[in-house]
């Protein structure tokens, strides 16, 4: 069974930075892509950033372009999200997801595995 565990969330002031990590454990699995999603209170889960695991190609939601950077460490099977210039509207629970087979359209439904999430709170 694959497990995804997020870490790195917390409370930060507007303009600050956080780095999220998502460690994959369990049986060795190949994956087509992994992504970060977020869900704010009362809202649906939405795509934030994604990365094709083999090629390293990256994709971003317009709302985070230029502020967030997704990366991965293949050897450690870990996904990262560097978040800079944080805004109060970035406050949400951040989840990592894995799409095993692909191709992906970065929708919530396209992810096969999910972590339990880590809370990011940005104060104004």
């Amino acid at each position: 069974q694959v497990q995804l565990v997020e870490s790195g969330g917390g409370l930060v002031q507007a303009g600050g930075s956080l780095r999220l990590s998502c460690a994959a454990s369990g049986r060795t699995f190949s994956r087509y892509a992994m992504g970060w999603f977020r869900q704010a209170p009362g809202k649906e889960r939405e795509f934030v950033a994604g990365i094709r695991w083999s090629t390293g190609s990256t994709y971003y939601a317009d709302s985070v372009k230029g502020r967030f950077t997704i990366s991965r460490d293949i050897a450690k099977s870990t996904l990262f999200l560097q978040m800079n210039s944080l805004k109060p509207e970035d406050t949400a629970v951040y989840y990592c997801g894995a799409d095993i087979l692909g191709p992906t359209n970065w929708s919530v439904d396209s992810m096969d595995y999910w972590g339990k999430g880590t809370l990011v709170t940005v104060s104004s």
Side-chain angles (χ1 to χ4, degrees):
Q1 184 69 20
V2 172
Q3 289 186 326
L4 303 177
V5 180
E6 302 95 337
S7 61
L11 173 64
V12 64
Q13 289 187 333
S17 299
L18 282 174
R19 189 189 195 211
L20 305 183
S21 299
C22 173
S25 63
R27 67 175 179 88
T28 301
F29 74 106
S30 60
R31 73 219 75 174
Y32 181 83
M34 291 191 71
W36 288 99
F37 294 72
R38 66 187 181 188
Q39 187 166 15
K43 295 187 177 181
E44 294 186 350
R45 192 172 299 188
E46 64 176 4
F47 170 74
V48 174
I51 189 166
R52 285 273 305 276
W53 199 254
S54 60
T55 66
S57 298
T58 57
Y59 307 85
Y60 296 94
D62 288 343
S63 59
V64 306
K65 279 182 183 176
R67 299 189 298 123
F68 291 10
T69 302
I70 189 171
S71 61
R72 86 273 195 244
D73 184 325
I74 295 176
K76 296 183 178 180
S77 197
T78 301
L79 181 71
F80 301 100
L81 185 67
Q82 178 67 43
M83 306 187 294
N84 299 328
S85 302
L86 283 161
K87 304 175 181 179
E89 51 263 45
D90 295 318
T91 294
V93 177
Y94 283 71
Y95 300 89
C96 69
D99 182 342
I100 302 303
L101 296 177
T104 186
N105 59 4
W106 303 114
S107 68
V108 171
D109 291 341
S110 68
M111 297 292 121
D112 299 298
Y113 294 100
W114 290 99
K116 293 184 177 181
T118 184
L119 177 63
V120 172
T121 304
V122 184
S123 63
S124 58

